[in-house]
Amino acid sequence: MTRTNYGPGPVAVLGLGTMGTGLASRLLAQGIQVRVWNRTPERTEPLARAGAVAVGRPSEAAEGTSAVICTVADGEALGAVLRGPDGVLARGTYSGALICASTVAPEEIVRLAGDVPSVMDVGMLGNRDHARDGELRLFVGGEERVFTAGRPLLELLGKEVVHLGALGSGMRMKLLLNLLMGIEVQAMAEAAELAAATGLDKQLVLRTIAGSGFASPVMSFKSRRLATGRFDEPDFRLRLMAKDLMLATEQAAAAGLRLPLTAAAAHTHTRAAEQGFGDEDCAAVTRAVAPEPGTHT
Protein backbone atom coordinates (compact mmCIF):
# COMPACT_ATOMS: atom_id res chain seq x y z
CA MET A 1 0.00 0.00 0.00
CA THR A 2 1.37 3.41 -0.92
CA ARG A 3 1.07 6.84 0.55
CA THR A 4 -1.52 7.94 -2.02
CA ASN A 5 -4.06 5.54 -0.50
CA TYR A 6 -4.59 7.74 2.54
CA GLY A 7 -3.48 11.26 1.69
CA PRO A 8 -0.69 13.38 0.29
CA GLY A 9 0.86 14.75 3.46
CA PRO A 10 3.42 13.48 5.94
CA VAL A 11 2.55 11.85 9.25
CA ALA A 12 3.65 13.06 12.69
CA VAL A 13 4.51 10.58 15.44
CA LEU A 14 4.49 12.07 18.94
CA GLY A 15 6.19 9.94 21.59
CA LEU A 16 9.07 7.64 20.67
CA GLY A 17 8.89 4.84 23.15
CA THR A 18 8.87 1.23 21.98
CA MET A 19 5.69 1.48 19.93
CA GLY A 20 6.11 5.02 18.63
CA THR A 21 9.58 4.24 17.32
CA GLY A 22 8.28 1.09 15.66
CA LEU A 23 5.41 2.96 13.99
CA ALA A 24 7.68 5.74 12.74
CA SER A 25 10.11 3.14 11.36
CA ARG A 26 7.26 1.39 9.56
CA LEU A 27 6.12 4.61 7.93
CA LEU A 28 9.63 5.53 6.83
CA ALA A 29 10.13 2.06 5.35
CA GLN A 30 6.97 2.57 3.29
CA GLY A 31 8.26 5.83 1.85
CA ILE A 32 6.09 8.08 4.01
CA GLN A 33 7.40 11.47 5.13
CA VAL A 34 7.55 11.39 8.94
CA ARG A 35 7.88 14.19 11.47
CA VAL A 36 8.79 13.08 15.00
CA TRP A 37 8.75 14.63 18.45
CA ASN A 38 9.72 13.25 21.83
CA ARG A 39 9.92 14.82 25.27
CA THR A 40 13.58 13.79 25.48
CA PRO A 41 15.01 14.90 22.10
CA GLU A 42 17.82 12.33 21.96
CA ARG A 43 15.26 9.63 21.15
CA THR A 44 14.58 11.33 17.82
CA GLU A 45 18.17 10.96 16.62
CA PRO A 46 18.07 7.40 15.17
CA LEU A 47 14.87 8.19 13.27
CA ALA A 48 16.31 11.48 12.03
CA ARG A 49 19.29 9.56 10.65
CA ALA A 50 16.79 7.26 8.90
CA GLY A 51 15.09 10.21 7.22
CA ALA A 52 12.52 11.57 9.67
CA VAL A 53 12.27 15.27 10.45
CA ALA A 54 12.80 15.87 14.18
CA VAL A 55 11.14 18.93 15.71
CA GLY A 56 11.04 20.58 19.12
CA ARG A 57 7.29 20.92 19.78
CA PRO A 58 4.18 18.76 19.14
CA SER A 59 2.47 21.68 17.39
CA GLU A 60 5.44 22.01 15.04
CA ALA A 61 5.39 18.28 14.31
CA ALA A 62 1.73 18.48 13.30
CA GLU A 63 2.17 21.36 10.85
CA GLY A 64 1.42 20.33 7.28
CA THR A 65 0.63 16.71 8.11
CA SER A 66 -2.32 14.59 7.10
CA ALA A 67 -2.25 12.56 10.33
CA VAL A 68 -0.84 12.71 13.85
CA ILE A 69 -0.21 9.55 15.88
CA CYS A 70 0.17 10.03 19.65
CA THR A 71 2.01 7.25 21.50
CA VAL A 72 2.94 8.90 24.78
CA ALA A 73 2.92 7.14 28.15
CA ASP A 74 -0.21 8.27 29.98
CA GLY A 75 -3.15 10.67 30.22
CA GLU A 76 -1.09 13.55 31.58
CA ALA A 77 1.39 13.30 28.71
CA LEU A 78 -1.41 12.98 26.16
CA GLY A 79 -3.10 16.07 27.57
CA ALA A 80 0.15 17.99 27.20
CA VAL A 81 0.78 17.01 23.57
CA LEU A 82 -2.83 17.75 22.59
CA ARG A 83 -3.95 20.67 24.78
CA GLY A 84 -0.74 22.08 26.29
CA PRO A 85 0.81 25.42 25.23
CA ASP A 86 2.81 23.64 22.51
CA GLY A 87 0.14 21.03 21.80
CA VAL A 88 -1.41 19.96 18.52
CA LEU A 89 -4.71 21.64 19.45
CA ALA A 90 -3.21 24.72 21.12
CA ARG A 91 -4.34 26.98 18.28
CA GLY A 92 -7.67 25.27 17.59
CA THR A 93 -8.70 22.20 15.69
CA TYR A 94 -6.59 19.87 13.54
CA SER A 95 -7.77 19.04 10.03
CA GLY A 96 -6.07 15.67 9.62
CA ALA A 97 -6.63 12.32 11.35
CA LEU A 98 -5.71 12.59 15.03
CA ILE A 99 -4.90 9.08 16.24
CA CYS A 100 -4.54 8.60 19.99
CA ALA A 101 -2.75 5.29 20.53
CA SER A 102 -1.66 6.03 24.12
CA THR A 103 -3.43 3.79 26.63
CA VAL A 104 -5.49 6.09 28.85
CA ALA A 105 -8.95 6.06 30.43
CA PRO A 106 -11.66 6.07 27.74
CA GLU A 107 -13.27 9.09 29.39
CA GLU A 108 -9.95 10.93 29.16
CA ILE A 109 -9.90 10.49 25.38
CA VAL A 110 -13.42 11.89 25.08
CA ARG A 111 -12.56 14.84 27.33
CA LEU A 112 -9.36 15.69 25.48
CA ALA A 113 -11.01 15.36 22.07
CA GLY A 114 -13.67 17.89 23.02
CA ASP A 115 -15.33 19.18 19.86
CA VAL A 116 -12.52 18.06 17.52
CA PRO A 117 -14.24 15.67 15.12
CA SER A 118 -11.20 13.93 13.63
CA VAL A 119 -10.05 12.04 16.76
CA MET A 120 -9.74 8.25 16.87
CA ASP A 121 -8.53 6.17 19.79
CA VAL A 122 -6.60 3.08 18.81
CA GLY A 123 -5.81 0.14 21.05
CA MET A 124 -2.70 -1.55 19.64
CA LEU A 125 -2.09 -5.26 20.15
CA GLY A 126 1.48 -6.31 19.48
CA ASN A 127 5.10 -5.52 20.27
CA ARG A 128 7.89 -3.41 18.79
CA ASP A 129 8.55 -5.91 15.99
CA HIS A 130 4.88 -5.97 15.03
CA ALA A 131 4.84 -2.16 14.95
CA ARG A 132 7.94 -2.00 12.75
CA ASP A 133 6.67 -4.69 10.36
CA GLY A 134 3.04 -3.54 10.03
CA GLU A 135 1.76 -6.61 11.88
CA LEU A 136 -0.21 -4.94 14.68
CA ARG A 137 -3.86 -5.60 15.42
CA LEU A 138 -5.63 -2.25 15.81
CA PHE A 139 -8.93 -1.68 17.61
CA VAL A 140 -10.43 1.70 16.86
CA GLY A 141 -13.00 4.01 18.42
CA GLY A 142 -14.38 7.12 16.74
CA GLU A 143 -16.96 8.35 14.28
CA GLU A 144 -17.58 6.04 11.33
CA ARG A 145 -16.67 8.68 8.73
CA VAL A 146 -13.44 9.51 10.58
CA PHE A 147 -12.51 5.83 10.74
CA THR A 148 -13.28 5.35 7.04
CA ALA A 149 -11.03 8.28 6.10
CA GLY A 150 -8.19 7.07 8.31
CA ARG A 151 -8.46 3.37 7.54
CA PRO A 152 -5.88 3.25 4.71
CA LEU A 153 -3.22 4.63 7.04
CA LEU A 154 -4.23 2.23 9.81
CA GLU A 155 -4.05 -0.69 7.36
CA LEU A 156 -0.50 0.34 6.55
CA LEU A 157 0.33 -0.10 10.24
CA GLY A 158 -1.65 -3.21 11.13
CA LYS A 159 -2.63 -6.57 9.67
CA GLU A 160 -6.07 -6.31 11.32
CA VAL A 161 -8.06 -3.10 11.74
CA VAL A 162 -11.38 -3.25 13.61
CA HIS A 163 -13.79 -0.37 14.22
CA LEU A 164 -15.47 -1.00 17.58
CA GLY A 165 -17.76 2.01 17.84
CA ALA A 166 -17.79 5.39 19.53
CA LEU A 167 -14.72 7.29 20.71
CA GLY A 168 -13.23 5.53 23.75
CA SER A 169 -13.99 2.03 22.46
CA GLY A 170 -10.41 1.41 21.38
CA MET A 171 -9.17 2.17 24.88
CA ARG A 172 -11.77 -0.12 26.44
CA MET A 173 -10.56 -3.00 24.30
CA LYS A 174 -6.90 -2.24 25.02
CA LEU A 175 -7.51 -2.22 28.77
CA LEU A 176 -9.23 -5.61 28.52
CA LEU A 177 -6.30 -7.05 26.58
CA ASN A 178 -3.71 -5.67 28.99
CA LEU A 179 -5.80 -6.96 31.90
CA LEU A 180 -5.39 -10.47 30.51
CA MET A 181 -1.68 -10.02 29.84
CA GLY A 182 -0.97 -8.68 33.32
CA ILE A 183 -2.80 -11.53 35.03
CA GLU A 184 -1.29 -14.24 32.79
CA VAL A 185 2.31 -13.10 33.20
CA GLN A 186 1.93 -12.68 36.96
CA ALA A 187 0.38 -16.17 37.22
CA MET A 188 3.33 -17.67 35.36
CA ALA A 189 5.80 -15.74 37.52
CA GLU A 190 4.07 -17.04 40.65
CA ALA A 191 4.23 -20.62 39.36
CA ALA A 192 7.94 -20.27 38.55
CA GLU A 193 8.77 -18.79 41.96
CA LEU A 194 6.78 -21.54 43.70
CA ALA A 195 8.72 -24.10 41.67
CA ALA A 196 12.05 -22.64 42.76
CA ALA A 197 10.94 -22.33 46.39
CA THR A 198 9.85 -25.97 46.59
CA GLY A 199 12.88 -27.56 44.94
CA LEU A 200 11.82 -27.90 41.30
CA ASP A 201 14.04 -26.78 38.43
CA LYS A 202 12.71 -23.32 37.54
CA GLN A 203 14.02 -23.48 33.97
CA LEU A 204 12.38 -26.86 33.38
CA VAL A 205 9.09 -25.61 34.82
CA LEU A 206 9.10 -22.54 32.57
CA ARG A 207 9.85 -24.66 29.48
CA THR A 208 7.04 -27.00 30.45
CA ILE A 209 4.58 -24.15 30.91
CA ALA A 210 5.59 -22.51 27.62
CA GLY A 211 5.09 -25.75 25.70
CA SER A 212 1.82 -26.68 27.36
CA GLY A 213 -1.80 -26.05 26.51
CA PHE A 214 -2.00 -23.76 29.52
CA ALA A 215 0.22 -21.12 27.94
CA SER A 216 -0.97 -18.30 25.73
CA PRO A 217 1.45 -16.96 23.08
CA VAL A 218 2.32 -14.04 25.35
CA MET A 219 3.15 -16.44 28.20
CA SER A 220 5.42 -18.46 25.91
CA PHE A 221 7.11 -15.20 24.86
CA LYS A 222 7.50 -13.86 28.40
CA SER A 223 8.67 -17.21 29.79
CA ARG A 224 12.03 -16.53 28.11
CA ARG A 225 12.48 -13.34 30.13
CA LEU A 226 11.59 -15.15 33.35
CA ALA A 227 14.04 -17.94 32.50
CA THR A 228 16.94 -15.56 31.85
CA GLY A 229 16.05 -12.95 34.47
CA ARG A 230 16.73 -10.25 31.85
CA PHE A 231 14.17 -7.45 32.06
CA ASP A 232 16.12 -4.64 30.40
CA GLU A 233 15.22 -3.31 26.92
CA PRO A 234 11.54 -3.76 27.82
CA ASP A 235 8.84 -4.75 25.35
CA PHE A 236 6.31 -3.12 27.69
CA ARG A 237 7.34 -1.30 30.85
CA LEU A 238 6.10 -2.60 34.16
CA ARG A 239 4.94 0.84 35.34
CA LEU A 240 2.73 1.13 32.25
CA MET A 241 1.19 -2.27 32.97
CA ALA A 242 0.55 -1.15 36.56
CA LYS A 243 -1.16 1.98 35.20
CA ASP A 244 -3.34 0.00 32.80
CA LEU A 245 -4.38 -2.52 35.45
CA MET A 246 -5.37 0.34 37.74
CA LEU A 247 -7.36 1.91 34.91
CA ALA A 248 -9.15 -1.41 34.38
CA THR A 249 -10.08 -1.63 38.07
CA GLU A 250 -11.41 1.94 37.91
CA GLN A 251 -13.51 1.06 34.85
CA ALA A 252 -14.87 -1.96 36.69
CA ALA A 253 -15.73 0.05 39.80
CA ALA A 254 -17.57 2.64 37.69
CA ALA A 255 -19.61 -0.19 36.13
CA GLY A 256 -20.37 -1.76 39.53
CA LEU A 257 -18.15 -4.79 38.92
CA ARG A 258 -15.69 -6.54 41.20
CA LEU A 259 -12.65 -7.97 39.40
CA PRO A 260 -10.64 -9.72 42.15
CA LEU A 261 -7.87 -11.06 39.89
CA THR A 262 -7.38 -7.71 38.19
CA ALA A 263 -7.28 -5.90 41.53
CA ALA A 264 -4.68 -8.35 42.86
CA ALA A 265 -2.53 -8.00 39.74
CA ALA A 266 -2.78 -4.20 39.91
CA HIS A 267 -1.59 -4.30 43.52
CA THR A 268 1.37 -6.58 42.72
CA HIS A 269 2.48 -4.53 39.70
CA THR A 270 2.17 -1.29 41.64
CA ARG A 271 4.29 -2.75 44.44
CA ALA A 272 6.95 -3.88 41.94
CA ALA A 273 7.01 -0.39 40.41
CA GLU A 274 7.38 1.16 43.87
CA GLN A 275 10.32 -1.20 44.50
CA GLY A 276 12.14 0.42 41.57
CA PHE A 277 11.35 -1.98 38.72
CA GLY A 278 8.92 0.27 36.85
CA ASP A 279 11.15 0.85 33.83
CA GLU A 280 11.96 -2.83 33.40
CA ASP A 281 9.89 -5.20 31.27
CA CYS A 282 6.51 -6.09 32.76
CA ALA A 283 7.76 -9.65 33.36
CA ALA A 284 9.79 -8.11 36.20
CA VAL A 285 6.60 -8.42 38.24
CA THR A 286 8.30 -11.61 39.39
CA ARG A 287 10.51 -9.36 41.58
CA ALA A 288 7.48 -8.60 43.74
CA VAL A 289 6.72 -12.31 44.06
CA ALA A 290 10.22 -13.65 44.76
CA PRO A 291 11.17 -14.25 48.40
CA GLU A 292 13.19 -11.61 50.19
CA PRO A 293 16.96 -12.29 50.29
CA GLY A 294 17.78 -14.50 53.24
CA THR A 295 14.28 -16.04 53.37
CA HIS A 296 14.42 -19.79 53.89
CA THR A 297 11.81 -22.29 52.75
Side-chain angles (χ1 to χ4, degrees), residues 125-144:
L125 181 60
N127 57 36
R128 75 179 83 195
D129 294 335
H130 296 131
R132 183 195 62 220
D133 297 337
E135 293 292 313
L136 294 169
R137 297 172 65 194
L138 304 176
F139 300 94
V140 188
E143 293 184 18
E144 180 75 37

Side-chain angles (χ1 to χ4, degrees), residues 16 21 36 38 40-52 54:
L16 299 177
T21 297
V36 293
N38 194 68
T40 50
E42 57 268 21
R43 285 230 179 144
T44 66
E45 293 172 3
L47 288 165
R49 289 194 294 271

Side-chain angles (χ1 to χ4, degrees), residues 200-224:
L200 293 177
D201 184 319
K202 185 175 179 178
Q203 307 295 319
L204 174 61
V205 168
L206 284 167
R207 288 197 301 272
T208 301
I209 293 171
S212 75
F214 300 112
S216 66
V218 74
M219 290 173 73
S220 297
F221 179 65
K222 292 297 183 183
S223 69
R224 297 194 288 274

Side-chain angles (χ1 to χ4, degrees), residues 161-175:
V161 179
V162 181
H163 184 224
L164 299 175
L167 192 65
S169 301
M171 288 302 98
R172 291 187 175 92
M173 177 64 87
K174 178 61 174 177
L175 290 175

